[in-house]
Amino acid sequence: MSFRKDFVWGAATSAYQIEGAWNEDGKGESVCDMVTHTPGIIYHNHTGDTACDHYHRWREDVALMAEIGLRAYRFSVCWPRVMPAGTGAVNERGLAFYDRLVDGLLAAGIEPWVTLFHWDYPYELFLRGGWLNADSPRWFADYAAVLVDKLSDRVTKWMTVNEPQCYIGAGHWHGWCMPGLRLGLREMLLAGHHALMAHGAAVQVIRARARQTPVVGWAQANSPTVPASASAADVDAAWRVMAGMGGPGLPVQESIWNNTWWSDPALLGGYPEAGLRLYGAAAPKGKPADFELMRQPLDFYGCNIYQGYTIRAAADGAPEIVPAAPGRAATLLDWPVAPECLYWGVKFIAERYRLPVVITENGMSGHDWVDADGAVHDGARIDFTRRYLRELRRAAGDGAEVRGYFHWSLLDNFEWWSGYKHRFGLVHVDYATQRRTLKDSARWYRGVIAANGENL
Ligand code: FCB
């Protein structure tokens, strides 16, 4: 079992979580600025105002990527940095930042993988209803055109949106993801409908305007399940949960963590039956043209996979969740360590959507610190990543077309509602001094990349 020869080894970040420079060089405000500047929402009132100061330190960060031996770097563009009001005027100084970054990456031999949108929605458009506004797909397409025109002479790898599960489901219903709203189910689903149309419109723009043949995907938050045993009944039960709308017996709010509501319209042409049954009258009606727009051919399916839970078949064959044993391994965010979820998640996605898969995010939160010896000994991250990568390799060996893996994250960064409490990076960041320290995991990952994973 091996990874393909051209397997893409990378690391990922997103703009708001690392850039800082929240009000520099003509950048407009985003909903992230709105939320983080409201006291009492984010852990210790942390903000991304400075974050990792990547906006000013990107050269150093590219040098770190080269030191780790990354072949690719997934980053996102801050929409209101490029278009301060979200639509209309372009801010050339903001756009120039990404232009320089792309040049710097290519000069270091690192391929840029660009995500158009990772939650930092323009505040001015939020005031006009944001994703609830029926014009929002067009706003997004216009923004996409600006980036494609500027970068597609050098960038070929594009992802439209990151995790509608989060910025629509958690962000417009649960209230704990950007932009922090608690709307009704119907309004959340309408926002999601527009976001799916925006995805489709952006794919069209990329294909129509790119100066080199583009490779287009997205990044979804996938929720795999792991069968309790290899028995056909358990495997079937776990599979049914992955195709369904949230785990058995869980409240309806948990249904946003599904694999199909956000993917079927874009890849199979409509919302899944199970979702339409669950949401009933709240489900968006949608015109045929909406669904035509959503369904655009993709070149790869990007999966963000961190955790999974175990499912078994009850006596009657129905899926049931296996309760977690006390003291089971979990990361600092209390996400269960479940390496097999990379195997089962990838198998499910590859089979249902018949697309090559790229792991666009995977990693773990810890509370790493710089040891008295000056190093950062994050052995747990090495163990975590090794186990997950072995399962990914197993999926590839079983016939799933797995093209790449991006570790989340390159740097410790602003972890949304948890502020700087959680550290996800291969590189430790001291936020007071902005000093970067390669963790043990970064050195280990360098060896994995050099051996194309043969040494896992
Ligand atoms: C994902 C997000 C990413 C990061 C990781 C830990 O849901 O896409 O920005 O917060 O989780």
Side-chain angles (χ1 to χ4, degrees):
M1 286 188 298
S2 301
F3 292 107
R4 35 191 297 150
K5 293 276 168 288
D6 58 353
F7 192 78
V8 179
W9 294 99
T13 62
S14 87
Y16 186 75
Q17 294 178 274
I18 65 165
E19 283 180 2
W22 77 279
N23 61 355
E24 286 183 44
D25 291 344
K27 173 183 164 293
E29 286 189 40
S30 77
V31 296
C32 300
D33 301 314
M34 168 186 83
V35 169
T36 58
H37 293 168
T38 307
I41 299 180
I42 304 293
Y43 176 76
H44 287 199
N45 292 325
H46 292 165
T47 75
D49 289 1
T50 306
C52 307
D53 197 29
H54 173 75
Y55 188 75
H56 298 114
R57 295 170 195 264
W58 63 271
R59 283 188 189 79
E60 181 187 350
D61 293 337
V62 171
L64 290 168
M65 294 177 216
E67 199 177 334
I68 300 170
L70 297 186
R71 303 279 158 74
Y73 172 53
R74 173 177 176 236
F75 64 94
S76 76
V77 174
C78 171
W79 180 351
R81 194 183 288 293
V82 165
M83 297 176 96
T87 183
V90 173
N91 174 32
E92 292 297 337
R93 282 183 297 168
L95 197 51
F97 168 70
Y98 299 104
D99 197 52
R100 288 193 296 272
L101 176 62
V102 164
D103 282 345
L105 289 166
L106 292 172
I110 299 162
E111 184 174 43
W113 285 55
V114 177
T115 308
L116 303 182
F117 176 67
H118 197 128
W119 310 354
D120 39 5
Y121 195 83
Y123 179 66
E124 291 295 329
L125 295 183
F126 174 80
L127 294 181
R128 295 162 70 178
W131 293 115
L132 288 172
N133 191 313
D135 286 337
S136 56
R138 190 173 49 79
W139 296 335
F140 189 60
D142 291 348
Y143 157 64
V146 171
L147 293 187
V148 171
D149 289 354
K150 185 73 175 180
L151 302 177
S152 68
D153 57 336
R154 288 151 292 155
V155 171
T156 58
K157 305 300 190 296
W158 300 94
M159 284 147 289
T160 54
V161 297
N162 183 74
E163 298 188 343
Q165 291 84 352
C166 288
Y167 70 89
I168 298 294
H172 286 73
W173 198 30
H174 296 180
W176 55 258
C177 181
M178 302 299 170
L181 301 181
R182 285 173 190 256
L183 304 179
L185 172 61
R186 184 174 163 201
E187 291 70 40
M188 179 275 281
L189 294 173
L190 178 65
H193 191 76
H194 293 147
L196 285 166
M197 289 167 67
H199 155 79
V203 177
Q204 283 185 337
V205 163
I206 296 169
R207 296 215 188 278
R209 300 174 83 106
R211 273 174 275 168
Q212 303 179 65
T213 308
V215 177
V216 190
W218 58 8
Q220 294 280 326
N222 294 107
S223 298
T225 56
V226 175
S229 79
S231 77
D234 284 346
V235 170
D236 178 63
W239 206 265
R240 277 157 61 194
V241 175
M242 282 192 278
M245 292 293 296
L250 298 180
V252 63
Q253 282 80 2
E254 292 298 308
S255 65
I256 64 160
W257 306 115
N258 69 76
N259 300 300
T260 54
W261 182 265
W262 314 104
S263 294
D264 281 14
L267 294 165
L268 305 180
Y271 290 117
E273 281 303 321
L276 291 170
R277 268 198 310 278
L278 179 70
Y279 294 144
K285 299 292 164 283
K287 297 187 275 302
D290 298 357
F291 292 100
E292 275 163 37
L293 178 60
M294 290 175 191
R295 188 182 194 178
Q296 300 296 324
L298 291 185
D299 301 306
F300 70 93
Y301 188 114
C303 302
N304 297 349
I305 296 180
Y306 290 87
Q307 54 174 328
Y309 51 94
T310 307
I311 294 288
R312 68 183 167 217
D316 62 357
E320 68 181 11
I321 296 176
V322 180
R328 57 103 168 84
T331 67
L332 186 60
L333 268 167
D334 206 27
W335 294 357
V337 177
E340 304 92 332
C341 70
L342 220 43
Y343 174 82
W344 291 103
V346 165
K347 290 271 286 182
F348 176 79
I349 294 297
E351 195 160 304
R352 186 175 183 92
Y353 299 114
R354 311 226 162 259
L355 282 175
V357 169
V358 175
I359 301 301
T360 35
E361 289 181 25
N362 168 252
M364 63 158 275
S365 75
H367 38 24
D368 323 303
W369 62 84
V370 181
D371 192 275
D373 66 7
V376 181
H377 301 302
D378 58 338
R381 183 167 290 99
I382 295 175
D383 184 62
F384 176 102
T385 311
R386 181 191 288 123
R387 288 176 193 243
Y388 275 70
L389 281 172
R390 282 180 181 164
E391 293 294 325
L392 183 63
R393 190 173 58 181
R394 186 158 74 91
D398 261 13
E401 191 179 337
V402 186
R403 294 255 177 99
Y405 172 88
F406 288 81
H407 193 80
W408 183 273
S409 178
L410 173 71
L411 303 168
D412 290 340
N413 60 44
F414 176 84
E415 178 47 34
W416 310 113
W417 258 238
S418 321
Y420 298 100
K421 180 176 177 195
H422 293 276
R423 293 182 177 273
F424 269 96
L426 295 164
V427 177
H428 181 276
V429 177
D430 177 334
Y431 299 108
T433 61
Q434 291 297 343
R435 195 192 143 107
R436 274 83 162 131
T437 306
L438 252 58
K439 300 182 189 177
D440 289 355
S441 58
R443 300 179 197 287
W444 170 84
Y445 193 41
R446 179 171 60 198
V448 172
I449 296 171
N452 200 34
E454 295 292 330
N455 56 352
L456 284 165

